Amino acid sequence: MSDTAPASPLDQFTGRIEPTKVSLLYQLGLGFVAFAMVLLPVVYVAFIVGIGWLVLWHLEAHAVADHHTQGRAGAVVVAFYFAPAVVGGILILFLLKPLFSRPAKRPQVFKLAKADEPLLFEFVARICQHVGAPVPREIRLDTQVNASAGFRRGWLSFFGSDLVLVIGLPLVAGMTTRQLAGVLAHEFGHFAQGAGMRLSYIIRSVNLWFARVVFERDHWDEKLADWSSIEDIPNFEVLLVKLPLKLAQGGVWVGRRLLWCLMHLGHAISCFMSRQMEFDADSYEAKLAGSEEFARTAERLRHLGLGHAIAMHDAEETYQSKALPEDLPALVSWREKNLTADNRGEIDKLSAENKTKWWDTHPADADRVKAALAWRAPGIFHHEAPAAELFTDFSATSRAVTRHFFEHILEISLEKVSLRNAEGVEQERQVSDTFKQNLTAFYDKNFHPLRIKPIELEASGAWREARAQMQALSKTYGHQLEHLERQQNRQLNQIIGRDLIAAGFVVSEPGQFFLTSGSKNGADLALQQTQRELQKVYGMMSGYEGGGARRLSAALGCWRSRQADEAAVQNFDRLLAAQRLLAGMVPGLMLTSCTLHSLQVILGNAQHHSNGAELKRQALALVQRIDTAYNECKAALGELPHPYLPDHPPVSHSMVLPDKLENEWDGAAQQIHVFTEVIVPLFIRIMGDLCGLALEAEKEDYVGTASPVPAGADAAAA
């Protein structure tokens, strides 16, 4: 056995990097863009000053001359004289507010201590030394598939070298040391030129400020909306009070439109220079890790990004059962490693076809790889060990960062949530992937949970003819499903429109809700017409669905008749009992979920309603509709055993609502959440497992008769 110690990544840097030169024209262009960006807020301030001047001019030029006007006429004269001043004053206040408003409180960050990770800190320092950038004073960690470097204290660090580096741990979990070094070299490449670094910071800061003030709202915006909808004073006074407030509200909207225009103008001015800065930073990555490795790293970033999206969906699903993965970066890495060839091919194809647009802040991947390869840089760092080796105990750090993400970024209380280890989560996700694959294999990507009927077993075993019928109608059925979804979307909008009308709203644009008129009768007629259209679609879909039902019944009948394992038979019977009950309930539950959409639209437009008491009455009627459906569902499930939980408690025990509910509306939302995130997913999983058993039975039949195995059956039955 060799006594040679593993090579340290600190000893693997060979040679030096030549700084990327930028032309004087490029520097002048960057300076011009920064100047233009600073000028945009000046234009905004000039707009505010102009409004103030107009208000003062009005007060002087149109002073009320007749002080003897009495009564209501006098009140009108005074109101119309002061109204522009009130409107202008409110408008100036709301336009000045963004200049002084503080950004939303930033979440707590996860800081890494140098004493805990000396190798990582020294590794980062070596990269900075070769790139020619300042060494960061602080390293932070998060769970994103990204890395970034910036001024640690914002503008307070602008004139110094006080940098902070943020490393996304999925990069560490899924990359080699060489690839991670290249990514970090790119980030520090932005800071290799001091002037360019600061000018680009100005550009980004102005762009971010515009985006924040355009889209952010605070309690003052809500107050103005409330004041402009005052109804509890006499009609004449309503006019005198509401008119200026409404005008002010419109003026604020105009001001935000101006900000919106300036925001897009700033983006248009800066995007070209932003892309050039990315190309410059890419050159440092290519020079450090090599041009060829740049291309491989770009591919790995795409795949890790897809793995991250899937992992976050996994976390969302497990959270429904009060569980979360304890190591999110490990889950991202596992998901990336288990991407199918089709997944990888599809995302790589999209990347290759993507073209850089003039408004893009970053070049397309294909353009970046092409530019990096043009450097033909061999690289000065070729260490291929896993990047996780840079950490003393990467697994422990990854788990700590995951907890921090859930608690401080997503603000999830972990007191009532269990954290599952990576192995347990991976096993559960494999089960989830398997039943989804079963559904795809059996229904040829045409599975629709609302179109499934209760299964009645058949002993004939005549599933081949039914499968042939499904195959013959598969393509047509796919088109019918698209038509069905369009009609269901139409129905959803009509239900919302009908509920708005029932709540006393004036629907001035009924076509927005697929209605021909804004009356209750018109809404009912439109819904009846859509229902008739749905019945026609159901009739057209019956051929494929009938074949699927017969195939499933026959194949499962074969499976059960051959099964000698008593425990397997008992589990099958539980699945079948649950399928039969849920198949009849799921369509109604999903239709009831439309009520929540109506409730959200009604409450979201409450300020436009003329009668608060009537509005609340109608909203409570919708809440009662949801509550009735929830209780009926729970009663219907009764003691039906859960096919997956240990000891098989009743499924109804899974219909758990939070201990504390904010109000009636929150309660209704939580009840719908149970339908869509507990009951319906349970039904889909049951169908996936039953389809897996059916495919298994079909495979056994094929083997027994020396017939070819249907496509996808091997993968689905695995």
Side-chain angles (χ1 to χ4, degrees):
M1 181 180 292
S2 173
D3 294 330
T4 305
S8 170
L10 302 179
D11 300 329
Q12 303 305 306
F13 293 92
T14 60
R16 58 189 296 272
I17 292 177
E18 290 293 333
T20 300
K21 296 180 180 180
V22 294
S23 67
L24 178 61
L25 183 63
Y26 174 80
Q27 293 180 359
L28 290 174
L30 193 59
F32 170 77
V33 170
F35 174 75
M37 295 299 296
V38 172
L39 193 60
L40 292 178
V42 174
V43 172
Y44 182 67
V45 172
F47 176 69
I48 298 173
V49 172
I51 294 175
W53 180 85
L54 286 173
V55 169
L56 292 176
W57 173 82
H58 162 73
L59 291 176
E60 292 179 1
H62 303 110
V64 179
D66 185 4
H67 298 285
H68 303 289
T69 306
Q70 301 295 323
R72 180 168 292 188
V76 170
V77 170
V78 173
F80 274 88
Y81 172 68
F82 284 106
V86 172
V87 172
I90 294 175
L91 182 55
I92 291 172
L93 174 65
F94 273 78
L95 293 177
L96 282 173
K97 180 166 61 75
L99 296 175
F100 301 100
S101 64
R102 295 182 178 181
K105 184 180 179 181
R106 294 182 178 180
Q108 180 181 336
V109 298
F110 189 98
K111 299 178 183 178
L112 202 58
K114 186 175 182 178
D116 294 336
E117 301 294 350
L119 178 59
L120 176 67
F121 275 81
E122 183 59 31
F123 179 70
V124 170
R126 293 287 179 90
I127 294 173
C128 291
Q129 177 185 346
H130 283 84
V131 171
V135 177
R137 295 186 183 180
E138 185 178 295
I139 295 180
R140 301 172 185 171
L141 304 176
D142 65 20
T143 59
Q144 300 302 308
V145 183
N146 194 20
S148 63
F151 292 119
R152 186 170 67 93
R153 296 177 299 160
W155 289 100
L156 295 177
S157 303
F158 184 75
F159 293 105
S161 300
D162 185 11
L163 301 187
V164 59
L165 172 66
V166 182
I167 302 175
L169 288 192
L171 297 180
V172 182
M175 286 186 165
T176 65
T177 311
R178 181 181 182 183
Q179 290 170 334
L180 181 64
V183 171
L184 298 184
H186 169 95
E187 297 306 325
F188 291 121
H190 286 298
F191 291 81
Q193 289 112 17
M197 166 182 71
R198 287 166 175 79
L199 289 173
S200 64
Y201 181 76
I202 293 173
I203 294 169
R204 289 197 304 272
S205 297
V206 175
N207 270 330
L208 287 173
W209 180 82
F210 272 122
R212 181 170 64 83
V213 298
V214 167
F215 297 111
E216 259 189 11
R217 297 292 183 272
D218 59 22
H219 71 283
W220 285 108
D221 295 280
E222 296 172 1
K223 282 289 185 184
L224 181 59
D226 291 340
W227 292 337
S228 62
S229 60
I230 295 174
E231 295 293 344
D232 55 350
I233 52 180
N235 289 336
F236 178 69
E237 285 75 7
V238 165
L239 175 63
L240 296 182
V241 174
K242 286 186 64 175
L243 183 59
L245 292 174
K246 285 290 186 182
L247 291 173
Q249 195 174 21
V252 171
W253 181 87
V254 171
R256 291 195 183 277
R257 289 296 91 188
L258 173 64
L259 276 170
W260 183 87
C261 293
L262 293 175
M263 177 186 72
H264 283 277
L265 179 59
H267 179 79
I269 292 172
S270 64
C271 59
F272 175 76
M273 298 306 296
S274 177
R275 292 197 299 270
Q276 293 306 119
M277 287 187 283
E278 291 300 320
F279 280 127
D280 290 342
D282 286 346
S283 70
Y284 285 95
E285 179 176 348
K287 291 174 182 178
L288 186 98
S291 293
E292 296 290 342
E293 193 64 25
F294 181 97
R296 287 189 285 270
T297 302
E299 180 183 72
R300 178 56 60 85
L301 282 169
R302 290 193 298 271
H303 296 169
L304 283 171
L306 180 57
H308 181 269
I310 300 172
M312 291 304 296
H313 180 70
D314 291 339
E316 185 179 351
E317 285 194 351
T318 61
Y319 184 58
Q320 307 309 323
S321 56
K322 303 300 180 183
L324 286 168
E326 70 170 3
D327 191 339
L328 198 53
L331 181 59
V332 172
S333 178
W334 177 75
R335 276 302 191 185
E336 188 274 332
K337 291 175 183 176
N338 287 275
L339 290 176
T340 65
D342 287 343
N343 291 149
R344 296 178 190 275
E346 184 175 351
I347 194 170
D348 290 340
K349 180 182 177 184
L350 289 173
S351 175
E353 293 174 349
N354 186 33
K355 304 298 181 185
T356 303
K357 315 289 191 312
W358 69 266
W359 60 82
D360 289 338
T361 57
H362 287 59
D365 269 9
D367 293 334
R368 299 177 72 168
V369 170
K370 182 180 178 181
L373 292 176
W375 284 94
R376 300 189 180 185
I380 66 167
F381 184 80
H382 303 91
H383 197 51
E384 299 291 350
E389 294 184 5
L390 293 167
F391 287 74
T392 304
D393 187 344
F394 178 71
S395 181
T397 302
S398 187
R399 292 195 297 272
V401 173
T402 299
R403 284 190 67 98
H404 180 273
F405 172 70
F406 288 137
E407 287 186 310
H408 299 288
I409 307 301
L410 298 186
E411 298 183 342
I412 295 174
S413 173
L414 299 183
E415 295 180 359
K416 297 183 179 181
V417 177
S418 63
L419 294 177
R420 296 181 183 172
N421 60 33
E423 182 180 351
V425 173
E426 289 170 11
Q427 290 176 349
E428 181 180 300
R429 293 297 93 197
Q430 285 175 332
V431 169
S432 175
D433 292 347
T434 298
F435 78 71
K436 292 174 183 176
Q437 291 166 3
N438 291 339
L439 291 171
T440 299
F442 190 90
Y443 287 100
D444 192 23
K445 301 181 181 180
N446 285 328
F447 174 74
H448 195 301
L450 305 188
R451 301 302 304 152
I452 303 299
K453 298 293 188 289
I455 298 172
E456 299 298 334
L457 298 187
E458 296 180 6
S460 64
W463 53 266
R464 290 179 178 80
E465 297 81 359
R467 186 176 71 89
Q469 181 176 338
M470 290 180 68
Q471 290 175 335
L473 297 174
S474 178
K475 186 175 181 178
T476 301
Y477 186 77
H479 295 312
Q480 292 166 348
L481 273 181
E482 294 175 0
H483 183 46
L484 174 68
E485 290 173 357
R486 287 193 296 271
Q487 293 299 319
Q488 289 175 332
N489 179 65
R490 185 184 186 91
Q491 183 184 51
L492 168 61
N493 280 277
Q494 289 172 340
I495 290 174
I496 294 174
R498 179 199 62 189
D499 290 338
L500 281 171
I501 294 168
F505 285 95
V506 176
V507 179
S508 57
E509 297 182 15
Q512 181 182 355
F513 300 98
F514 297 96
L515 303 177
T516 56
S517 73
S519 67
K520 183 180 182 303
N521 288 338
D524 290 339
L525 288 173
L527 273 167
Q528 292 170 12
Q529 184 177 356
T530 300
Q531 187 59 40
R532 287 193 294 269
E533 184 63 27
L534 283 170
Q535 293 298 328
K536 292 180 183 177
V537 179
Y538 297 157
M540 293 186 290
M541 299 168 74
S542 61
Y544 180 91
E545 293 174 351
R550 289 192 300 275
R551 177 186 173 190
L552 199 55
S553 298
L556 289 176
C558 290
W559 184 91
R560 195 182 191 288
S561 65
R562 298 171 183 170
Q563 188 57 243
D565 186 341
E566 184 61 29
V569 171
Q570 291 178 356
N571 184 59
F572 172 82
D573 289 342
R574 281 190 290 266
L575 288 172
L576 192 61
Q579 192 280 340
R580 287 170 173 167
L581 184 56
L582 292 176
M585 296 173 59
V586 164
L589 297 182
M590 294 307 295
L591 191 60
T592 301
S593 70
C594 297
T595 306
L596 182 62
H597 293 286
S598 296
L599 188 60
Q600 290 169 337
V601 172
I602 287 173
L603 296 178
N605 289 276
Q607 69 271 23
H608 304 304
H609 199 279
S610 59
N611 188 325
E614 175 65 15
L615 174 70
K616 185 173 182 179
R617 189 183 70 81
Q618 292 294 340
L620 288 174
L622 296 181
V623 169
Q624 184 60 46
R625 188 190 305 173
I626 294 173
D627 186 63
T628 299
Y630 178 85
N631 291 325
E632 288 177 350
C633 173
K634 196 166 187 177
L637 289 172
E639 297 300 313
L640 177 75
H642 199 296
Y644 299 115
L645 295 181
D647 300 326
H648 309 291
V651 172
S652 56
H653 289 188
S654 301
M655 299 178 65
V656 180
L657 298 176
D659 295 333
K660 293 183 179 179
L661 296 173
E662 295 181 6
N663 46 47
E664 304 97 326
W665 330 123
D666 182 40
Q670 293 297 333
Q671 289 173 325
I672 294 297
H673 183 81
V674 169
F675 293 162
T676 59
E677 303 300 331
V678 177
I679 302 301
V680 175
L682 173 64
F683 176 64
I684 293 173
R685 180 178 177 182
I686 290 170
M687 286 300 302
D689 287 344
L690 289 174
C691 285
L693 297 178
L695 290 166
E696 180 184 323
E698 293 177 358
K699 180 179 178 181
E700 291 176 357
D701 262 14
Y702 268 116
V703 172
T705 58
S707 301
V709 179
D714 283 328

